[in-house]
Amino acid sequence: MLDKIEELVEDETGFEVQKRSRRLRVGLPCSPLSLIFDETPSDDVFMALHCSALRIFNGDRTDLHDVCSWLAASFLRWLGVTSSALIDIEHPATMIPAELYGRYLIPSQPEGYVLAPSDAGLHLAGDMIGYLAMFEHAAHTHTTFWHPKFESALEPTHDYDAARSEADDWAQGLASLLGERASRDDIYTQRPSAGWFYYRTTDGAIAVVESKQLVDFLELLGTAPDEEIAGINGFLYTGKSFDNFIPRDALKIADRIFGQDGTLAASSCPAAEATVVPLENGVILAKGHRAVLLRHDTGVAGFARERSLVLERNRLEQERLFPPSEFIWTDEVDGGRFERLIYDLLECEPGVHEVRAIGSSREGDGGRDLVVSWVTPPVPGEAIPQGLPPARERRIIVQCKARKRSVGRSDLGGGILDTLFMYHAEGYFLATSSQPAVAVIDLLEEVRRRGDYFTGWWGRTEIEQRLRRHPQILKRYADIVRPAP
């Protein structure tokens, strides 16, 4: 499939292809952004964007890696192409925790990051190459730093200065706003060629840029206010086929950085007060001359947890967020049949290499597990060592739970970690005919945060989405689920 993708690049003027082993890299030689295609063991293709600033910029280029990846992710979401996860690449030489050697942008919603070796997968690859060309044009038009042209008289050392008194004063003022979130190990700089000041906390949870040019560009890419739905602990975003969530805690931090007294956190519509761009593992907010990236669980997991709280609170909001189902499920879903349904859907899932049943079915809800060889992206917060691909194949345990009610923590038996240790697995996945309770979503996120484990789930909504894509599978399971008349 890589050969066919390479042929598609010929249609984009100026794009070059670098081919190595089972990888293609596509992009403009004068750009910090490139598109990579990695062939997986199952002959699928893992697709991601890679951001690495040009070496024409001297000194630490953390600020460029941060800003350039912000813009690319914001543009792709604005187009309705994908909601991306920002995955940091560790610096191989320095011992400074906050420095970025580069960054991957992993397409997460709606299609994902794995392309099937088919016409449909090839079509998606061609689309992404075209979107990259569109973004290159937009970045060139709206910024001066994307395709830089240094004058011969300008010494490279003038481009980067981490020790200017102006930068010191600015950083001290920002650190005072951040309070306990600031640290002596945070990094900051002034980059005259880009016209900005930059600050990043040691843990990478907060990054701030002072730049009117950047804010103006982000304003064009912000989320429309009509995408917002007020939840319990923050705001849900359901536009452009993406499900995202922004907690009010993030808005409180942004208020401090913008130097305002709770305007965003108290607002009923933050997108009307500032530029808002929710991603998979963070949110970009911009106002005045400042733009900020705040790391939070803003993707599907955060959305699902908040959605569950909204369901418990208000039937009217439930009807708006969850339209009537196009399927009818039997009152009592047979556990064995449900497990087989999940088996068949997993075999069609991009990135899945192998599915096997393990254990014995002794429970009435189909307690037998499945083990899946699945190509997955890095877990949020996982840094990728330089030279290693961003995706890898993991051994993932899948537990199937046929339930009328939500699946609670007590339904998971001995516990997720016990299951992972028993099967020497690198990930855990729950499939349920109802939906996971909030406590289960929290538990899955806690397991992911505490170790290098992939966690995820399918509830009834996610299963029905896949049944629409695979009507041939739906026909086999008419005894437990069928189309509504």
Side-chain angles (χ1 to χ4, degrees):
M1 183 170 169
L2 293 183
D3 291 337
K4 294 181 179 179
I5 293 175
E6 186 175 6
E7 294 176 3
L8 297 175
V9 182
E10 298 175 0
D11 296 332
E12 296 298 341
T13 304
F15 273 35
E16 294 183 353
V17 175
Q18 297 176 14
K19 193 169 185 180
R20 176 173 56 85
S21 183
R22 296 165 68 90
R23 165 177 283 197
L24 283 182
R25 182 183 294 273
V26 178
L28 295 175
C30 59
S31 171
L33 201 64
S34 59
L35 191 58
I36 61 170
F37 298 95
D38 283 333
E39 205 163 40
T40 73
S42 57
D43 293 328
D44 295 323
V45 173
F46 175 86
M47 178 178 66
L49 287 160
H50 177 246
C51 182
S52 181
L54 301 176
R55 297 190 182 277
I56 191 172
F57 293 102
N58 71 313
D60 173 38
R61 290 171 288 160
T62 295
D63 58 327
L64 291 161
H65 297 147
D66 227 350
V67 172
C68 293
S69 59
W70 294 9
L71 290 178
S74 300
F75 185 83
L76 292 174
R77 193 188 193 285
W78 173 74
L79 276 183
V81 176
T82 186
S83 175
S84 305
L86 304 181
I87 305 297
D88 297 347
I89 303 174
E90 292 178 324
H91 201 294
T94 71
M95 300 298 291
I96 302 175
E99 283 195 10
L100 286 177
Y101 192 72
R103 180 171 275 161
Y104 285 109
L105 282 69
I106 310 294
S108 299
Q109 299 185 65
E111 297 292 344
Y113 46 85
V114 177
L115 307 179
S118 63
D119 288 344
L122 189 63
H123 180 73
L124 288 174
D127 284 347
M128 187 59 78
I129 293 170
Y131 297 138
L132 177 58
M134 292 172 62
F135 173 67
E136 291 288 354
H137 176 74
H140 180 79
T141 302
H142 293 281
T143 72
T144 57
F145 60 85
W146 195 266
H147 299 147
K149 294 181 179 179
F150 287 103
E151 299 295 335
S152 58
L154 179 64
E155 294 293 332
T157 53
H158 291 172
D159 174 58
Y160 173 88
D161 194 338
R164 292 191 178 206
S165 59
E166 291 178 85
D168 287 338
D169 293 342
W170 178 82
Q172 288 173 11
L174 188 58
S176 66
L177 293 175
L178 292 176
E180 62 184 16
R181 301 298 296 266
S183 163
R184 288 184 301 175
D185 296 324
D186 296 347
I187 63 173
Y188 61 89
T189 187
Q190 179 183 10
R191 190 174 294 275
S193 66
W196 66 50
F197 292 96
Y198 173 82
Y199 188 105
R200 189 171 195 250
T201 57
T202 305
D203 59 4
I206 302 173
V208 183
V209 180
E210 188 94 12
S211 167
K212 183 64 166 63
Q213 182 184 93
L214 175 62
V215 171
D216 287 346
F217 192 4
L218 287 171
E219 283 180 352
L220 303 176
L221 310 176
T223 302
D226 60 9
E227 286 189 40
E228 288 183 335
I229 300 173
I232 307 297
N233 297 320
F235 291 85
L236 297 153
Y237 296 80
T238 59
K240 294 184 170 68
S241 302
F242 309 137
D243 293 335
N244 296 103
F245 167 69
I246 297 179
R248 279 197 173 84
D249 286 346
L251 299 175
K252 291 177 182 177
I253 296 173
D255 275 328
R256 287 156 58 183
I257 293 171
F258 295 146
Q260 53 192 24
D261 187 19
T263 301
L264 288 176
S267 174
S268 60
C269 184
E273 303 287 343
T275 298
V276 177
V277 183
L279 304 173
E280 287 303 290
N281 57 343
V283 56
I284 298 168
L285 298 116
K287 188 177 180 69
H289 288 198
R290 283 185 178 174
V292 56
L293 171 70
L294 301 172
R295 291 285 197 173
H296 276 277
D297 187 8
T298 51
V300 173
F303 178 90
R305 186 181 187 282
E306 188 72 5
R307 182 178 63 182
S308 294
L309 295 175
V310 170
L311 280 171
E312 295 168 4
R313 180 190 68 178
N314 193 296
R315 178 172 292 274
L316 177 62
E317 290 180 340
Q318 176 181 356
E319 292 174 354
R320 181 179 175 188
L321 292 172
F322 301 90
S325 175
E326 300 172 14
F327 300 90
I328 297 175
W329 293 74
T330 57
D331 290 338
E332 296 290 341
V333 177
D334 179 80
R337 291 288 289 158
F338 179 71
E339 174 192 309
R340 187 65 205 184
L341 168 63
I342 299 303
Y343 186 108
D344 288 353
L345 288 176
L346 283 169
E347 284 197 315
C348 297
E349 193 69 12
V352 170
H353 186 207
E354 182 184 31
V355 184
R356 290 188 293 112
I358 57 176
S360 60
S361 182
R362 294 188 298 268
E363 298 178 10
D365 67 341
R368 187 169 61 186
D369 301 319
L370 305 174
V371 60
V372 181
S373 297
W374 202 340
V375 174
T376 63
V379 297
E382 177 185 359
I384 307 301
Q386 171 64 11
L388 294 182
R392 63 185 174 94
E393 189 166 323
R394 285 182 167 93
R395 177 183 170 89
I396 296 175
I397 294 299
V398 179
Q399 287 196 321
C400 304
K401 299 292 180 182
R403 290 282 194 275
K404 277 186 178 180
R405 56 177 174 78
S406 297
V407 173
R409 294 181 65 156
S410 62
D411 297 316
L412 302 183
I416 293 176
L417 288 176
D418 289 346
T419 301
L420 291 170
F421 294 151
M422 180 185 301
Y423 293 111
H424 305 287
E426 300 172 277
Y428 175 92
F429 196 87
L430 173 66
T432 171
S433 58
S434 56
Q435 63 183 27
V438 171
V440 170
I441 295 174
D442 289 343
L443 177 61
L444 292 174
E445 291 304 297
E446 184 66 18
V447 170
R448 176 186 58 75
R449 283 194 295 266
R450 290 195 175 189
D452 183 18
Y453 294 117
F454 172 86
T455 60
W457 70 88
W458 288 344
R460 180 169 293 192
T461 300
E462 290 75 20
I463 292 171
E464 290 180 353
Q465 288 173 350
R466 284 155 179 84
L467 289 175
R468 292 186 188 95
R469 297 180 207 158
H470 305 290
Q472 75 281 7
I473 294 179
L474 176 62
K475 291 179 181 178
R476 298 179 208 156
Y477 296 92
D479 55 320
I480 59 174
V481 59
R482 65 184 189 277

